[in-house]
Amino acid sequence: MSLITTAPRSDVDIFSDEIMAEPYPAFRELRDAGPVVHLDRFDMYAVPRYREVRHVLGDWESFSSADIAFNDKFNRYMSDFSVLRADPPLHDAMRSTLAARLARRALREQEPEIRRRAARLVRGLIERGSFDAVADLARRFPVEIVGDLIGLREEGREDLLRMIDANFNCFGPDNERTRDSFPKLAKVADYVLVGATRENLAEGSMGRAVFEAADAGAIPVQAAPWLVMAYVTAGMDTTVNALGHCLWLMAEHPDQWQLLRADRSLVPQAFREILRYESPVQAFGRTVRTDWTVEDVTLPAGAKLAVLYGSANRDERRWADPNRFDITRDNLEHLTFGYGLHACAGQALARLEGEAVLSALLDGVSHIQAGTPVRHFNNILRGLESLPVTVVPN
Amino acid sequence: MEHAGIERLLVDRNRCEGYGMCQQAAPDLIHLDDEDEPVIDVAELSAAHKPLANAAVRACPVAALTLSGPTAH
Ligand code: HEM
């Protein structure tokens, strides 16, 4: 094992429509090729297995997030006040400001209202019987909930998801999707940095709190608008995709739906399984800070990594029968929200939204039938464009 | 790293955000109080506790929980 070899190589394009339509066979090939695999088309290394994904995410001192996007232009655009890119101590100051409002303990007060709103939305859909799970449910709920929590004005919200979709595309490598999306960043900047200023954010909101943290000296003044940016860009589309998958997976696996109906204590575990099975965030970047030896390969300092969350969650080395959707499996350690320093700051909220929707469905629906889903393609996110469903009331 | 002597669960209170995964993984060793602050219920871990303690450490999404011997900081 002392012989240093070079990493296995692959010319797969994990950002192509073709692969993204059905990424799991390609992920499996990458996992089988090695713990790190050079992606020839992008001059970076895929990290496809559970063990190394967890290792990389868990060690920010060895793996930097400064290059979290797969192109330099967007990394620079996000500024040094991007919580995703920052290191401690700046990271921790920004993170504490977010956590003061997003941690589970902080969300307790919001929980009943979030549940009420999920129930209201879902009741309306049950009355209709047939609807589009993406347009009428998944895309509506998080924008309403997170938009109100951030304190955004109603005006312009209808364009938000399109803007955020472009923003996520800009994390991609220099491909067509990334290039087409760059011009749309001006709209995002206009909405958030110009439009969502302190005065325009509702009093008492999470957005306002960020400016108050700057007043109190907890974070640099310049960081405040970028934290509002983080809330807006990270907090909606990700959950949209999770909710779309939720309806789809429950329709595709009626046995699991019936199991859940019979035992509602499985709701948290079921939502985690939805997250494990179809990870909304598929890849983010890291940079090796000091030479990293993994098995018999050493990657030099400066090597770029593509951390594959969705692949880690299907790694047969970690999960028994990983391609089986099983709401009773032990899935506490899924990596859908990342892990460690940069682990999703909004995971308690995402879970709350998902569990509220699942519970509302359980209250009123005995069977979910789905038509053919249409996939939505994004460089980073995995999700659906549309999913016609019919629900049978209890 | 191997530590001689007794091992303990340590919480980094600056990183903990109260997700409660540790409690789910090892309810006999750790629980969240009314404020979602973790409380370590077994101060000194025996060999029999080790698997559960490890599970709790692994389950923490923000890596705020570690296992440490008395000599570590
Ligand atoms: C199912 C829904 C969601 C998924 C799958 C998801 C996924 C992720 C992932 C994978 C990361 C880690 C990035 C890394 O490793 O560098 C992350 C970070 C983050 N997420 Fe989420 N997220 C979701 C919902 C939310 C929500 C609802 C919010 C806020 C309202 C949010 C805010 C954030 C923030 C601020 C970060 C940066 C944390 C840091 O760098 O310290 N996310 N998310």
Side-chain angles (χ1 to χ4, degrees):
Chain A
M1 287 298 277
S2 66
L3 190 75
I4 303 291
T5 55
T6 55
R9 315 169 73 96
S10 166
D11 82 338
V12 68
D13 180 355
I14 55 172
F15 302 98
S16 63
D17 287 10
E18 198 188 327
I19 297 293
M20 287 196 302
E22 188 42 55
Y24 300 110
F27 287 166
R28 167 138 207 190
E29 279 177 33
L30 289 171
R31 288 193 301 271
D32 287 346
V36 288
V37 182
H38 190 262
L39 297 177
D40 290 348
R41 290 167 191 253
F42 308 106
D43 198 18
M44 61 187 182
Y45 296 86
V47 184
R49 295 182 187 168
Y50 184 92
R51 195 175 140 93
E52 286 75 24
V53 166
R54 205 175 154 92
H55 173 76
V56 167
L57 295 176
D59 184 0
W60 63 269
E61 287 172 284
S62 305
F63 303 95
S64 160
S65 287
D67 301 314
I68 189 162
F70 300 112
N71 69 85
D72 290 340
K73 190 171 156 189
F74 194 59
N75 284 319
R76 282 197 305 272
Y77 171 89
M78 281 187 282
S79 93
D80 291 338
F81 297 104
S82 154
V83 63
L84 277 170
R85 296 182 62 233
D87 283 337
L90 176 60
H91 168 273
D92 296 359
M94 294 192 285
R95 173 93 187 195
S96 301
T97 300
L98 297 174
R101 300 302 290 263
L102 284 174
R104 210 176 67 141
R105 55 178 81 90
L107 288 169
R108 281 227 180 126
E109 229 174 279
Q110 328 283 347
E111 182 167 343
E113 174 64 12
I114 292 176
R115 289 188 173 275
R116 259 196 305 278
R117 290 200 195 181
R120 195 169 59 213
L121 178 62
V122 168
R123 263 200 314 273
L125 295 172
I126 293 172
E127 275 165 30
R128 281 167 58 182
S130 294
F131 57 93
D132 191 286
V134 178
D136 300 328
L137 175 59
R139 286 191 177 155
R140 280 187 53 189
F141 193 56
V143 175
E144 177 189 321
I145 298 295
V146 183
D148 285 355
L149 287 174
I150 303 171
L152 300 174
R153 289 178 299 180
E154 293 285 339
E155 181 196 344
R157 282 198 199 179
E158 62 283 359
D159 291 331
L160 263 177
L161 286 177
R162 261 192 304 276
M163 293 185 221
I164 298 165
D165 184 58
N167 196 80
F168 268 110
N169 270 332
C170 289
F171 281 85
D174 181 17
N175 65 16
E176 202 179 317
R177 226 179 268 118
T178 305
R179 285 191 295 272
D180 285 349
S181 299
F182 264 111
K184 300 179 189 160
L185 287 178
K187 285 188 89 171
V188 188
D190 190 55
Y191 186 87
V192 179
L193 302 178
V194 181
T197 52
R198 177 199 303 253
E199 315 77 65
N200 290 336
L201 293 161
E203 211 164 309
S205 65
M206 291 181 174
R208 230 352 142 75
V210 154
F211 287 93
E212 285 155 8
D215 292 344
I219 52 166
V221 175
Q222 310 96 295
W226 288 101
L227 281 183
V228 178
M229 181 69 102
Y231 271 131
V232 172
T233 54
M236 296 184 186
D237 218 357
T238 43
T239 315
V240 167
N241 292 324
L243 293 179
H245 291 146
C246 173
L247 273 281
W248 182 45
L249 288 169
M250 285 304 171
E252 288 284 294
H253 301 276
D255 59 317
Q256 300 292 301
W257 177 248
Q258 296 310 329
L259 202 59
L260 191 56
R261 288 185 72 218
D263 180 1
R264 292 178 70 143
S265 72
L266 288 170
V267 164
Q269 207 171 339
F271 190 62
R272 277 202 301 274
E273 182 66 356
I274 292 161
L275 293 171
R276 180 195 73 86
Y277 199 80
E278 295 288 0
S279 309
V281 174
Q282 291 280 298
F284 270 139
R286 291 291 191 273
T287 309
V288 177
R289 294 197 219 237
T290 50
D291 293 5
W292 177 36
T293 301
V294 48
E295 294 185 2
D296 55 351
V297 174
T298 296
L299 300 187
K304 302 272 172 67
L305 307 178
V307 176
L308 303 185
Y309 304 84
S311 175
N313 280 334
R314 298 274 194 125
D315 185 353
E316 39 293 292
R317 290 158 195 78
R318 170 64 182 79
W319 309 96
D321 209 352
N323 299 322
R324 199 174 85 232
F325 178 70
D326 173 5
I327 64 167
T328 66
R329 80 162 70 230
D330 180 354
N331 51 20
L332 270 184
E333 295 171 27
H334 73 80
L335 292 171
T336 304
F337 291 122
Y339 174 67
L341 187 80
H342 290 282
C344 181
Q347 55 186 289
L349 177 56
R351 211 174 294 129
L352 190 52
E353 292 177 73
E355 292 173 15
V357 167
L358 263 181
S359 301
L361 286 166
L362 287 166
D363 283 341
V365 173
S366 65
H367 296 276
I368 307 173
Q369 285 141 11
T372 310
V374 177
R375 196 147 275 295
H376 179 78
F377 294 107
N378 179 289
N379 278 331
I380 300 301
L381 298 177
R382 177 166 173 79
L384 300 178
E385 179 64 37
S386 73
L387 177 72
V389 295
T390 301
V391 293
V392 180
N394 271 337
Chain B
M1 217 164 84
E2 290 288 304
H3 295 288
I6 301 145
E7 289 197 293
R8 298 165 196 278
L9 281 166
L10 293 181
V11 181
D12 181 343
R13 307 252 163 212
N14 293 323
R15 300 235 174 273
C16 173
E17 292 171 359
Y19 296 112
M21 301 296 169
C22 51
Q23 170 178 282
Q24 288 190 48
D28 294 344
L29 304 182
I30 191 162
H31 76 276
L32 297 194
D33 68 12
D34 295 345
E35 318 270 59
D36 281 346
E37 290 289 346
V39 178
I40 309 284
D41 295 313
V42 179
E44 302 183 350
L45 300 171
S46 68
H49 289 133
K50 276 295 286 289
L52 269 187
N54 281 323
V57 167
R58 282 197 311 270
C60 178
V62 289
L65 192 64
T66 47
L67 204 54
S68 189
T71 50
H73 48 264

